[in-house]
Amino acid sequence: MPREMTKAQRVEQSLLKDFRKPIWRPFMNAIRRYELLSPGDRIAVCISGGKDSMLMAKLMQILSRHSEVPFEAVYLIMDPGYAPANRQRVEENARLLEIPYTVVESDIFDVANSQDRNPCFLCARMRRGCLYDRARELGCNKIALGHHFNDVIETTVIGMLYGGQLQGMMPKLRADHFPGMQLIRPLYMVREDDIIAWKDHHGLQFIQCACRFTENNVHHEGGSKRAEVKQLLKTLNRQNSNVMDNVFKSIHNLQLDTMPGWKTEGVQHSFLEDY
């Protein structure tokens, strides 16, 4: 009599069958298109506890078993100071999905929330630095973060509407302050609606943003801007289903000779330089 599959095994099977087209293929397309893997990589897969990073961890775990490009993955749960219930939920989900993990402890929430300006920016920067440090200690040369297709689009539009700049989100980056380290985004081409469908299909419950600052400041500046852009894109997408795809294509197809100004490596340039 065949043994009943575990929850983790059912999740893995669904990613390779039921969700192969909406999740596995875009995941693999990003891996190949942006050359996110190299032979011998040791990658710190960073888990915040939300749906995106947990899905990414599972995908990377499956890929590590079957990849033609040999690599290792280690799984880091970043605890910036979660409430005990949130910390427990994150660890329970990792065990449920049979993802081995190491917890990275910190007091980042307390430090960031003590600042009057830009606590979200400071928190993100500190968390990333902490992850780079721990990853390097574990012999990793890359960290993987769970930003997805919608994050790429929303970040681009936020920059245009609120920041006065056309700025994308890169699928991979070299770390400025950690020589030899890189950041990769394996979910770069996976859409949020498909991640939600996968989560709901298996009845999985993940934490949302568990930051005490956002709990107490529902309308904080960064969150409201992203929420506004998210809603704007949904409205536009109902009128034209190609809107988000076109934004994605545009950041891959920048017509630089039509731009009156641009910035590279922090230096501002003008079309008048070569006019």
Side-chain angles (χ1 to χ4, degrees), residues 220-262:
H220 70 287
E221 186 179 12
S224 63
K225 287 177 180 177
R226 186 164 292 273
E228 287 174 15
V229 167
K230 189 181 288 285
Q231 186 56 52
L232 171 64
L233 288 168
K234 284 183 179 179
T235 300
L236 293 173
N237 206 59
R238 283 195 293 268
Q239 300 168 1
N240 179 356
S241 61
N242 293 320
V243 163
M244 294 183 70
D245 286 318
N246 286 338
V247 175
F248 190 77
K249 290 176 183 176
S250 72
I251 62 174
H252 292 76
N253 191 32
L254 183 64
Q255 304 297 308
L256 194 58
D257 57 2
T258 69
M259 297 293 172
W262 64 92

Side-chain angles (χ1 to χ4, degrees), residues 15-185:
L15 288 170
L16 296 174
K17 292 186 176 180
D18 302 328
F19 290 91
R20 188 175 189 86
K21 183 176 180 180
I23 292 180
W24 181 258
R25 286 182 184 172
F27 164 71
M28 288 304 302
N29 286 343
I31 294 287
R32 296 188 181 107
R33 179 175 183 178
Y34 304 114
E35 300 178 0
L36 301 185
L37 294 182
S38 298
D41 277 346
R42 183 170 169 83
I43 301 172
V45 180
C46 304
I47 301 171
S48 67
K51 65 185 188 315
D52 311 321
S53 62
M54 201 67 78
L55 170 63
M56 175 187 65
K58 198 64 197 172
L59 291 168
M60 293 295 286
Q61 185 184 50
I62 296 170
L63 181 60
S64 68
R65 299 175 189 146
H66 308 289
S67 176
E68 297 176 356
V69 179
F71 75 96
E72 294 181 74
V74 297
Y75 304 89
L76 303 183
I77 290 179
M78 177 76 216
D79 184 351
Y82 288 145
N86 287 323
R87 165 72 173 266
Q88 181 179 354
R89 171 62 62 85
V90 177
E91 294 196 57
E92 285 177 351
N93 281 329
R95 290 192 291 268
L96 180 68
L97 295 176
E98 298 177 9
I99 298 170
Y101 62 88
T102 298
V103 177
V104 180
E105 309 271 6
S106 77
D107 60 354
I108 289 172
F109 278 174
D110 289 335
V111 175
N113 292 344
S114 67
Q115 305 300 309
D116 293 330
R117 298 187 62 185
N118 299 324
C120 295
F121 173 80
L122 179 60
C123 179
R125 186 171 183 177
M126 291 176 66
R127 290 169 77 169
R128 189 171 299 182
C130 188
L131 287 167
Y132 274 126
D133 271 335
R134 189 71 178 103
R136 188 164 56 182
E137 288 174 6
L138 293 171
C140 298
N141 64 310
K142 292 178 180 176
I143 67 171
L145 300 185
H147 298 115
H148 50 63
F149 177 89
N150 295 65
D151 291 322
V152 177
I153 306 308
E154 291 163 12
T155 298
T156 302
V157 176
I158 287 171
M160 293 175 65
L161 299 184
Y162 297 104
Q165 59 187 357
L166 181 55
Q167 179 179 2
M169 176 185 281
M170 296 291 283
K172 64 180 181 181
L173 291 168
R174 291 188 177 90
D176 290 335
H177 304 295
F178 296 85
M181 297 287 291
Q182 295 184 54
L183 178 157
I184 63 172
R185 295 183 168 109

